[in-house]
Short mmCIF file of all heavy atoms in Angstrom, two decimals:
data_model
loop_
_atom_site.label_atom_id
_atom_site.label_comp_id
_atom_site.label_asym_id
_atom_site.label_seq_id
_atom_site.Cartn_x
_atom_site.Cartn_y
_atom_site.Cartn_z
N ALA A 1662 23.87 -9.75 7.04
CA ALA A 1662 25.16 -9.47 7.65
C ALA A 1662 26.29 -10.07 6.82
O ALA A 1662 27.34 -9.44 6.63
CB ALA A 1662 25.19 -10.03 9.07
N GLU A 1663 26.08 -11.28 6.29
CA GLU A 1663 27.10 -11.89 5.44
C GLU A 1663 27.20 -11.21 4.09
O GLU A 1663 28.30 -11.01 3.56
CB GLU A 1663 26.81 -13.38 5.26
CG GLU A 1663 27.08 -14.23 6.49
CD GLU A 1663 27.24 -15.69 6.14
OE1 GLU A 1663 28.34 -16.06 5.65
OE2 GLU A 1663 26.28 -16.45 6.33
N LEU A 1664 26.05 -10.84 3.51
CA LEU A 1664 26.07 -10.17 2.21
C LEU A 1664 26.84 -8.86 2.26
O LEU A 1664 27.53 -8.49 1.30
CB LEU A 1664 24.63 -9.89 1.75
CG LEU A 1664 23.82 -11.06 1.20
CD1 LEU A 1664 22.37 -10.66 1.02
CD2 LEU A 1664 24.40 -11.55 -0.12
N LEU A 1665 26.73 -8.13 3.38
CA LEU A 1665 27.35 -6.82 3.49
C LEU A 1665 28.76 -6.87 4.06
O LEU A 1665 29.43 -5.85 4.17
CB LEU A 1665 26.47 -5.91 4.36
CG LEU A 1665 25.05 -5.66 3.83
CD1 LEU A 1665 24.29 -4.71 4.76
CD2 LEU A 1665 25.06 -5.13 2.41
N SER A 1666 29.22 -8.06 4.43
CA SER A 1666 30.55 -8.21 4.98
C SER A 1666 31.61 -8.02 3.90
O SER A 1666 31.42 -8.37 2.73
CB SER A 1666 30.71 -9.60 5.60
OG SER A 1666 32.06 -9.87 5.91
N ALA A 1667 32.74 -7.46 4.30
CA ALA A 1667 33.86 -7.29 3.35
C ALA A 1667 34.39 -8.64 2.88
O ALA A 1667 35.03 -8.73 1.83
CB ALA A 1667 34.97 -6.50 4.02
N LYS A 1668 34.12 -9.69 3.65
CA LYS A 1668 34.58 -11.03 3.29
C LYS A 1668 33.46 -11.89 2.71
O LYS A 1668 33.54 -13.12 2.72
CB LYS A 1668 35.17 -11.72 4.52
CG LYS A 1668 36.38 -11.00 5.10
CD LYS A 1668 36.92 -11.74 6.31
CE LYS A 1668 38.13 -11.03 6.90
NZ LYS A 1668 38.66 -11.76 8.10
N ALA A 1669 32.41 -11.25 2.20
CA ALA A 1669 31.27 -11.99 1.66
C ALA A 1669 31.69 -12.91 0.52
O ALA A 1669 32.48 -12.53 -0.35
CB ALA A 1669 30.20 -11.03 1.17
N ALA A 1670 31.14 -14.12 0.53
CA ALA A 1670 31.41 -15.05 -0.57
C ALA A 1670 30.83 -14.50 -1.86
O ALA A 1670 29.67 -14.08 -1.89
CB ALA A 1670 30.80 -16.41 -0.25
N PRO A 1671 31.61 -14.48 -2.94
CA PRO A 1671 31.09 -13.94 -4.20
C PRO A 1671 30.07 -14.88 -4.84
O PRO A 1671 30.01 -16.07 -4.51
CB PRO A 1671 32.33 -13.81 -5.07
CG PRO A 1671 33.27 -14.85 -4.55
CD PRO A 1671 33.01 -14.92 -3.07
N LYS A 1672 29.29 -14.35 -5.75
CA LYS A 1672 28.30 -15.15 -6.48
C LYS A 1672 29.01 -16.02 -7.50
O LYS A 1672 29.84 -15.55 -8.28
CB LYS A 1672 27.31 -14.22 -7.18
CG LYS A 1672 26.18 -14.94 -7.90
CD LYS A 1672 25.22 -13.93 -8.51
CE LYS A 1672 24.09 -14.64 -9.24
NZ LYS A 1672 23.14 -13.67 -9.85
N ILE A 1673 28.68 -17.31 -7.50
CA ILE A 1673 29.28 -18.25 -8.44
C ILE A 1673 28.51 -18.21 -9.75
O ILE A 1673 27.29 -18.34 -9.77
CB ILE A 1673 29.26 -19.69 -7.87
CG1 ILE A 1673 29.89 -19.74 -6.48
CG2 ILE A 1673 29.96 -20.63 -8.83
CD1 ILE A 1673 31.32 -19.29 -6.42
N ILE A 1674 29.21 -18.02 -10.86
CA ILE A 1674 28.54 -17.94 -12.16
C ILE A 1674 28.93 -19.08 -13.10
O ILE A 1674 28.40 -19.19 -14.20
CB ILE A 1674 28.81 -16.59 -12.85
CG1 ILE A 1674 30.30 -16.37 -13.08
CG2 ILE A 1674 28.21 -15.45 -12.03
CD1 ILE A 1674 30.61 -15.11 -13.88
#
Side-chain angles (χ1 to χ4, degrees):
E1663 287 200 78
L1664 284 170
L1665 300 182
S1666 169
K1668 299 180 180 180
K1672 183 177 180 181
I1673 307 300
I1674 59 174

